[in-house]
Amino acid sequence: MGKLVYIKPASTKEYLALTVLDGGETRRFAVSEGVFESIGAPVRGEVLNEEQLSVLKAESERYFAMKKALNILAYADNSEKQLTDKLLRAGFSREVAAQVTKEAVSLGYLNEQRQVADAVLREAKGKLHGPHRILRDLCVKGYRKADVSAAIRSLTEEGELDFSEIFKTLLKKKKVGEDDLDAIRKWRYTYGFDRSDET
């Protein structure tokens, strides 16, 4: 049981900020007007039952998880896995973290296809990495292998990426001559250009 002591509009449109005194502890919630209506639109001073408090807690956790997700996504691109993991580390439940990540995808806030293509281009053109290094590095970041492979293929077919030219640029940067086969092999392996036909 808890007593509703304060209601005001929240910073997000169509949301309310509620303060509830529950067993001597002050708890704050943010819920949509629709959820507030669904629990009977209690008035200030009214005692809330456990079911009402449970609804407030669940909706409020989802609200704050979405706010956190938007802050995370505003700072940098994240894979679905990265976003979910960051929400879990921030203290949200697994269920809410997964639900909010799914909602972020459906709203277009998180577009892995675009992110993967952008990340592949950064790795290839910025870091001069070959397809195998790109695949490994992006999978470690939580992107799906099939998505990374598809992006590499698509960008190569569209002419956005030419790994032979990228490798030539790498050799020039490393000051490796055409006849230095050991160094060429070393950089081909280290930067992930070996077995590029398998990507």
Side-chain angles (χ1 to χ4, degrees):
M1 298 286 220
K3 184 178 179 182
L4 181 59
V5 293
Y6 198 70
I7 308 169
K8 69 174 185 174
S11 58
T12 303
K13 190 178 176 184
E14 298 179 11
Y15 271 76
L16 298 170
L18 311 177
T19 303
V20 174
L21 190 59
D22 184 15
E25 181 184 344
T26 302
R27 299 172 69 182
R28 289 182 172 73
F29 302 98
V31 297
S32 68
E33 291 173 355
V35 167
F36 185 71
E37 296 282 331
S38 78
I39 63 166
V43 294
R44 192 172 167 184
E46 190 171 328
V47 175
L48 305 177
N49 62 37
E50 289 304 317
E51 187 179 331
Q52 289 171 311
L53 284 173
S54 177
V55 169
L56 290 179
K57 182 180 176 193
E59 173 68 7
S60 194
E61 183 183 14
R62 195 205 63 74
Y63 170 82
F64 287 113
M66 180 55 83
K67 282 191 83 157
K68 180 70 173 175
L70 294 177
N71 285 338
I72 290 167
L73 293 171
Y75 180 73
D77 283 341
N78 286 263
S79 68
E80 290 178 40
K81 182 182 182 318
Q82 285 174 315
L83 179 59
T84 301
D85 289 347
K86 286 178 182 179
L87 291 172
L88 289 171
R89 283 195 301 273
F92 298 103
S93 70
R94 183 165 295 285
E95 182 183 343
V96 167
Q99 178 188 25
V100 164
T101 298
K102 188 175 180 182
E103 189 176 347
V105 171
S106 72
L107 292 171
Y109 298 138
L110 194 158
N111 182 335
E112 272 200 14
Q113 226 176 357
R114 176 191 51 78
Q115 289 179 18
V116 170
D118 290 347
V120 166
L121 287 170
R122 277 194 307 274
E123 291 276 324
K125 292 184 174 183
K127 297 180 180 178
L128 304 177
H129 288 171
H132 292 282
R133 176 83 179 264
I134 293 170
L135 186 64
R136 184 196 74 199
D137 290 354
L138 294 185
C139 286
V140 166
K141 289 182 178 179
Y143 294 106
R144 289 180 285 273
K145 183 177 181 180
D147 293 344
V148 178
S149 292
I152 291 170
R153 265 194 310 279
S154 175
L155 290 166
T156 304
E157 288 166 6
E158 292 168 7
E160 286 282 323
L161 286 179
D162 182 342
F163 283 109
S164 63
E165 287 302 315
I166 291 169
F167 188 63
K168 286 178 189 173
T169 303
L170 174 67
L171 293 179
K172 189 182 283 187
K173 182 180 175 184
K174 299 293 183 184
K175 297 182 170 98
V176 175
E178 290 177 16
D179 56 343
D180 192 346
L181 298 181
D182 287 339
I184 290 172
R185 257 191 305 276
K186 171 190 166 189
W187 294 118
R188 180 174 291 282
Y189 177 78
T190 302
Y191 275 70
F193 288 90
D194 60 329
R195 306 180 318 262
S196 57
D197 55 315
E198 295 174 17
T199 303

